[in-house]
Amino acid sequence: MHNISKLEDVVDRFREVEGLLSSPGVASDQEKYRALTKEHSDLSGVVEVYHAFCRVERDIAGHRELLQENDPELREMAKAELPALEEKRAELATELKLLLQPRDPNDEKNVILEIRAGTGGEEAALFAADLFRMYGRYADSKRWKVELISLSEADAGGLREVIAIISGERVYSRLKHESGTHRVQRVPETESQGRIHTSACTVAVLPEVDEVEANVDPGDLRVDVYRASGAGGQHVNKTESAVRITHLPTGLVVSCQDEKSQHKNRAKAMKVLQSRLYDRMLADQQALQAADRKSQVGSGDRSERIRTYNFPQGRCTDHRIGLTLYKLDAIMQGEIDDLIEPLLTHYQSEALSGQEG
């Protein structure tokens, strides 16, 4: 097992943090106490698995000693139990490698979720609304908060586009692999012949970033205010509360009219703009650094079809990992952990083999 010294350093730091948390000086400094509590939580998982690994190592050493004993019964018992112990050690070693991997710095962040109807007209717009509902219910199950930024409704129901902020614990870490083209196959209600139509929506999941990370020059912005339209209560069309921000160097445009206050709409629109600029900057960096790295393939190309939702067969397929689940009703109700967990495992394993290779 490589990285033993690194693991022992983690254990030492864990003990140090435990000591600091119980010292009276730290308890009175709320900010420091919160930071140490988080670090303690992050390290505890590694320490727990490392201790389990050490216990199995000791058990294996003990069983190997028993193989040298004169008692044939003891030797036979040791020989029979060794394979399971060695398998357990291999599992714990892999788990430790994953835990020691550099973390995605964005994993702790909230996200900007953007869903847009693509090919398929009215049916695509209806599916965009279904997807937004699905992510909303998943957010509820995780006790995350969903804040609407902008929403554009289609004429026959459904959504042409919806943008929202989802905030809570490690939101980006769970949703980061949802970016891409989501395809739906079903019989539209307007279809009298019962023919299956194929439509698509694009989903973008961007980590929410602050001004420092995005580094937006106010001189590069044009801000327009206008009267909100559509659903929104008494304030609609009475005050110029809606805000449109254009980033002149890139041509990116973000609008927000969900709030009654112009100030709040501007703040929300800036969050989306900063996140889009940050995402573009990261994509440019990755294109330069990882032109030949296979680990990047499929990780965020939004033009790529990542998933198909087939309603007649109640089937959902994730094309990146060849996973098919026959529980589409539950998935559309927000039960998507059975899709998310295998994706996380897949990309962790890819990162691990990339490190070793």
Side-chain angles (χ1 to χ4, degrees):
M1 173 74 193
H2 302 302
N3 291 328
I4 288 293
S5 60
K6 189 174 179 181
L7 283 160
E8 283 167 356
D9 287 345
V10 170
V11 173
D12 288 344
R13 176 59 185 164
F14 181 72
R15 287 180 184 137
E16 188 185 345
V17 171
E18 275 194 321
L20 287 167
L21 280 169
S22 58
S23 66
V26 169
S28 59
D29 183 340
Q30 280 303 300
E31 201 171 315
K32 193 171 184 182
Y33 183 77
R34 267 197 301 271
L36 285 168
T37 304
K38 186 185 178 307
E39 189 181 356
H40 184 272
S41 170
D42 290 345
L43 295 175
S44 64
V46 185
V47 171
E48 202 175 303
V49 177
Y50 178 53
H51 283 157
F53 177 81
C54 291
R55 282 194 299 274
V56 172
E57 284 267 76
R58 287 195 295 273
D59 287 347
I60 289 171
H63 278 64
R64 284 188 176 146
E65 281 177 23
L66 289 175
L67 290 175
Q68 312 306 316
E69 289 288 326
N70 293 326
D71 186 335
E73 217 171 287
L74 276 177
R75 285 203 308 271
E76 199 56 43
M77 183 198 73
K79 190 178 175 184
E81 290 178 359
L82 260 173
L85 286 169
E86 283 167 348
E87 193 180 324
K88 183 68 179 169
R89 179 178 62 181
E91 284 172 14
L92 290 167
T94 302
E95 198 174 339
L96 282 170
K97 282 178 192 168
L98 287 171
L99 288 167
L100 288 173
Q101 265 186 276
R103 287 196 173 191
D104 184 335
N106 293 322
D107 274 354
E108 302 291 332
K109 290 181 175 169
N110 300 329
V111 306
I112 311 286
L113 173 71
E114 304 184 354
I115 302 172
R116 292 182 180 85
T119 51
E122 288 177 8
E123 185 59 24
L126 290 168
F127 185 54
D130 290 342
L131 284 176
F132 185 53
R133 196 178 305 111
M134 177 185 86
Y135 288 121
R137 285 177 176 163
Y138 182 63
D140 288 344
S141 75
K142 297 289 180 191
R143 293 193 170 91
W144 295 340
K145 180 184 172 189
V146 180
E147 263 184 290
L148 205 58
I149 298 286
S150 69
L151 183 142
S152 170
E153 294 180 325
D155 296 335
L159 301 172
R160 279 196 292 267
E161 177 189 272
V162 58
I163 302 171
I165 295 175
I166 304 181
S167 50
E169 192 177 337
R170 292 177 62 78
V171 181
Y172 186 74
S173 74
R174 304 296 298 174
L175 296 181
K176 62 184 172 183
H177 300 303
E178 293 301 298
S179 291
T181 299
H182 295 239
R183 186 175 69 166
V184 61
Q185 293 172 326
R186 62 183 172 190
V187 179
E189 286 177 23
T190 53
E191 172 57 70
S192 56
Q193 303 296 314
R195 284 178 300 217
I196 295 170
H197 285 223
T198 298
S199 312
C201 295
T202 59
V203 173
V205 175
L206 313 179
E208 186 188 1
V209 297
D210 55 33
E211 289 176 41
V212 177
E213 289 170 297
N215 195 19
V216 180
D217 182 346
D220 289 340
L221 303 177
R222 187 179 76 232
V223 181
D224 299 306
V225 293
Y226 57 100
R227 290 183 180 185
S229 59
Q234 295 300 311
H235 72 290
V236 169
N237 296 328
K238 289 190 177 178
T239 58
E240 293 192 328
S241 59
V243 174
R244 184 188 300 111
I245 301 177
T246 306
H247 185 249
L248 300 171
T250 60
L252 283 174
V253 180
V254 180
S255 304
C256 183
Q257 62 172 46
D258 190 55
E259 299 284 350
K260 294 181 183 181
S261 142
Q262 185 189 114
H263 175 72
K264 284 181 180 174
N265 280 329
R266 181 179 175 136
K268 278 187 174 182
M270 273 304 293
K271 277 187 181 181
V272 176
L273 180 65
Q274 285 158 358
S275 294
R276 284 191 191 166
L277 288 169
Y278 179 74
D279 184 59
R280 185 175 281 201
M281 180 188 77
L282 283 184
D284 291 346
Q285 281 176 2
Q286 285 171 358
L288 288 170
Q289 293 166 357
D292 58 350
R293 259 183 36 212
K294 286 181 184 173
S295 63
Q296 295 296 325
V297 175
S299 63
D301 179 2
R302 282 170 212 134
S303 64
E304 181 189 12
R305 185 195 68 195
I306 63 163
R307 202 175 284 155
T308 297
Y309 304 74
N310 182 300
F311 279 78
Q313 295 177 22
R315 161 168 61 82
C316 184
T317 300
D318 196 291
H319 304 289
R320 293 163 294 180
I321 54 175
L323 172 71
T324 296
L325 299 172
Y326 287 89
K327 47 178 292 183
L328 187 55
D329 286 350
I331 285 166
M332 298 315 293
Q333 293 302 318
E335 294 177 30
I336 57 174
D337 271 330
D338 286 348
L339 288 166
I340 286 170
E341 288 293 344
L343 280 167
L344 293 176
T345 304
H346 168 77
Y347 285 113
Q348 280 178 337
S349 302
E350 271 205 347
L352 204 55
S353 59
Q355 271 187 343
E356 289 168 352

